[in-house]
Amino acid sequence: MSVVTISEGSHSKGKEVAEKVAERLGYSCVSRDLLLESSEQFKTPEFLMIRGIHDSPYGFERFSSGKEKYVAYIRVAILRRLREDNVVYHGLAGHHFVRGIGHVLKVRIIADLKDRIQEEMSKKNASPEQARIVIEKNDEAKRNWGLHLYGIDVRDAQLYDMTLRIRKLRVNEVVDLIVHTLASPRFRTTPESKKKMDDLWLAAEVEAGLVEVFPRAKTEVDGGNVTVSIEGPAEATERITEKARRLLEHLTAVRELRVAVNPTR
């Protein structure tokens, strides 16, 4: 059992690679449908979920609760599916949320700009210059998003286990390399890596449950034992603690909840 995340720039064949890897392995392949799940669960229009990932990290702040709310919801949906194992995830932010999980193979697919321009031209009936501008704008938006939220550059090869270039290598050859690599014992799910994934998922559920009221709450999870740190006035400790407990009472995976209120200055 294992998980594959596939990241790419636009028109780099990542979706095709993801679908073929999933077919070869008998895994489920998920992407945009996770936005729909988040949209329905948290009653947030899907277009806002999409903009929460793709828009400029600064322009998005005009929406209530800022960008963090939509990212929290998407993070929950992604981790909820990835913890099931035997999944290929292609699309938004997957590799950001599973750093340090041993049974996840993180792949970056790249392609030459001229090939990507040709793809955009054929799909949108655009001129070469129009296609180039669209691609470069999309790439820069994704890069700014990663830098703004996590302080990382999505183009940094150190974020991935494999970076594969579609050109001399064709799609089927890239699929072969991914499937071969995934056969290594180091990418198999272990009890330890499963616990890490479960802890990440539960932390995401907790923070999504709190984000409307406590958008800057920080969570630590250890096997169902949850510690939430919230900033607030010392005199409001009891009220904040009770409110947090009510917001999280639906999470049956929480065995023990500790709320730490850090006094604001």
Side-chain angles (χ1 to χ4, degrees):
M1 296 190 294
S2 50
V3 172
V4 182
T5 66
I6 294 181
S7 169
E8 63 160 340
S10 57
H11 299 314
S12 298
K13 306 289 187 183
K15 181 176 185 291
E16 185 179 352
V17 169
E19 290 173 348
K20 290 190 173 185
V21 168
E23 183 179 5
R24 286 269 299 273
L25 295 170
Y27 285 11
S28 58
C29 185
V30 295
S31 183
R32 184 184 174 92
D33 58 322
L34 292 179
L35 291 180
L36 292 171
E37 289 179 16
S38 293
S39 177
E40 291 169 3
Q41 178 183 358
F42 297 105
K43 298 180 173 56
T44 302
E46 185 192 1
F47 83 93
L48 286 183
M49 306 295 284
I50 294 170
R51 295 181 74 170
I53 290 294
H54 283 301
D55 268 19
S56 160
Y58 313 107
F60 195 87
E61 298 302 333
R62 67 182 180 274
F63 294 104
S64 62
S65 300
K67 191 181 189 92
E68 289 78 8
K69 180 171 80 171
Y70 305 102
V71 173
Y73 296 162
I74 292 167
R75 178 184 172 214
V76 166
I78 290 174
L79 290 175
R80 188 178 293 158
R81 293 297 295 271
L82 296 192
R83 72 188 287 261
E84 296 172 3
D85 264 356
N86 295 353
V87 176
V88 178
Y89 174 77
H90 163 256
L92 308 169
H95 63 285
H96 288 305
F97 300 138
V98 288
R99 285 177 287 172
I101 304 298
H103 62 269
V104 179
L105 173 61
K106 294 177 284 294
V107 180
R108 176 77 173 173
I109 305 293
I110 61 175
D112 287 357
L113 181 58
K114 66 178 183 179
D115 294 332
R116 299 169 67 199
I117 288 173
Q118 189 62 45
E119 186 81 9
E120 176 72 14
M121 289 170 59
S122 65
K123 287 190 174 181
K124 303 290 179 60
N125 195 27
S127 70
E129 181 62 15
Q130 289 171 329
R132 182 188 63 78
I133 289 171
V134 167
I135 288 169
E136 290 179 349
K137 183 178 179 180
N138 286 342
D139 286 351
E140 190 61 21
K142 289 181 180 180
R143 180 172 183 266
N144 285 339
W145 182 83
L147 289 169
H148 177 64
L149 286 180
Y150 297 102
I152 60 175
D153 188 335
V154 296
R155 301 174 303 184
D156 184 355
Q158 295 184 76
L159 298 175
Y160 309 98
D161 301 302
M162 301 177 72
T163 299
L164 299 168
R165 178 186 175 201
I166 302 286
R167 184 96 197 261
K168 195 170 184 179
L169 286 173
R170 301 303 184 187
V171 167
N172 285 338
E173 293 168 323
V174 167
V175 170
D176 289 341
L177 287 169
I178 293 171
V179 171
H180 175 76
T181 302
L182 204 63
S184 169
R186 70 190 65 190
F187 291 109
R188 292 176 190 162
T189 304
T190 65
E192 293 78 15
S193 68
K194 179 67 165 62
K195 178 182 178 297
K196 271 190 173 184
M197 181 71 88
D198 287 343
D199 286 350
L200 276 180
W201 158 74
L202 186 52
E205 292 277 7
V206 168
E207 290 180 10
L210 295 173
V211 71
E212 288 275 9
V213 180
F214 304 112
R216 293 176 178 80
K218 302 299 181 186
T219 304
E220 294 182 7
V221 177
D222 183 8
N225 299 314
V226 177
T227 299
V228 176
S229 298
I230 300 172
E231 291 188 353
E235 62 272 19
T237 295
E238 185 175 342
R239 177 178 59 81
I240 290 172
T241 299
E242 180 57 29
K243 179 66 173 177
R245 290 186 180 277
R246 286 201 306 270
L247 289 169
L248 301 176
E249 61 187 3
H250 66 287
L251 295 178
T252 58
V254 176
R255 291 206 301 257
E256 182 178 340
L257 175 64
R258 176 178 176 269
V259 179
V261 179
N262 301 320
T264 53
R265 296 180 180 180

